[in-house]
Amino acid sequence: MFLPNLVSFDVSQNKLFGPFPNGICEAKDLANLGLYSNSFNGSIPNDLIKECSSLERFQVQNNMFTGNFPSWLWSLPKLKLIRAENNRFSGEIPDSISKATQLEQVQIDNNSFVSKVPQGLGLVSSLYRFSASQNKLYGELPPNFCDSPVMSIMNFSHNYLSGGFPEVKKCRKLVSLSLADNNLVGEIPQSLADLPVLTYLDLSHNNLSGPIPEGLQNLKLALFNVSFNRL
């Protein structure tokens, strides 16, 4: 397929199948790519995505894609949206995500990413949603994991994260935080009580211990779940 003047290509919510459309990124001004809710399969070639330098919206969720997620995508300078949930992607979330300086939203839930949470995540100042539940993420959360000044929703539930729960003093816009079903240890940080708009907090099914911060009672929490810990 070669349509050199394409700015937007959207074939979402059909019954299409087969590999990722070859040559789609030869359209140098392609900003929107929508393939979601079909039956596309196979891998997405990394070198092909490298050519999509103008891409702003990448939506391939609800397909059957496999193989390593294209690493070039994480560092495209104009990219704002990544939707890739409900596939079979593997690979890492690289530290080069910090180069995606306009990135606003990432949803990669229900895949097979095997990765640490990169330090670069907290350096993307435009990022307001990052959701990566039901993967194979491991290691400790970096201390700056929600340092984006607009971060509102973070979901790392159902992974293999370990270590302590870092302080979250800079997450002033955080509304929803889910770290359920991991291997976190240590105490719940007092700084959670200083997040003025926190509404949804799920820390269930970990190995957290110690006191529940009294200041949490001053928040307007709609959901508070710390079940199945060692508190």
Side-chain angles (χ1 to χ4, degrees), residues 96-230:
S96 58
I97 190 174
S98 62
K99 297 179 182 178
T101 55
Q102 297 186 43
L103 192 59
E104 297 174 354
Q105 182 177 348
V106 175
Q107 291 177 244
I108 55 172
D109 310 87
N110 192 24
N111 280 287
S112 295
F113 285 90
V114 180
S115 177
K116 291 186 175 181
V117 178
Q119 291 267 0
L121 180 65
L123 301 176
V124 186
S125 61
S126 54
L127 191 61
Y128 69 84
R129 179 171 185 167
F130 192 92
S131 188
S133 64
Q134 294 180 288
N135 279 284
K136 298 176 182 179
L137 305 185
Y138 65 93
E140 298 186 10
L141 283 169
N144 69 339
F145 79 103
C146 71
D147 275 10
S148 167
V150 294
M151 182 58 74
S152 177
I153 300 171
M154 298 206 87
N155 187 352
F156 290 107
S157 61
H158 308 290
N159 279 288
Y160 300 95
L161 298 175
S162 58
F165 192 151
E167 295 289 343
V168 287
K169 295 179 180 178
K170 294 185 179 181
C171 308
R172 305 292 294 174
K173 297 289 183 69
L174 196 63
V175 173
S176 176
L177 175 63
S178 181
L179 297 169
D181 193 19
N182 279 285
N183 299 308
L184 298 176
V185 298
E187 296 188 359
I188 300 173
Q190 296 283 341
S191 53
L192 277 174
D194 298 327
L195 304 184
V197 294
L198 187 63
T199 306
Y200 180 105
L201 180 62
D202 191 350
L203 306 176
S204 61
H205 293 272
N206 279 284
N207 291 302
L208 297 169
S209 58
I212 297 174
E214 289 187 12
L216 290 176
Q217 65 186 341
N218 299 321
L219 299 178
K220 297 178 180 178
L221 290 171
L223 184 143
F224 175 69
N225 190 353
V226 292
S227 62
F228 296 96
N229 277 284
R230 299 179 178 180

Side-chain angles (χ1 to χ4, degrees), residues 1-7 23-24 26-30:
M1 178 179 293
F2 180 54
L3 300 169
N5 298 318
L6 271 180
V7 175
I24 192 69
E26 292 178 17
K28 299 300 182 184
D29 295 322
L30 184 69

Side-chain angles (χ1 to χ4, degrees), residues 61-79:
Q61 67 269 31
N62 304 325
N63 279 287
M64 294 184 289
F65 285 117
T66 58
N68 282 345
F69 193 71
S71 58
W72 271 107
L73 195 68
W74 294 110
S75 54
L76 292 179
K78 298 180 180 180
L79 196 64

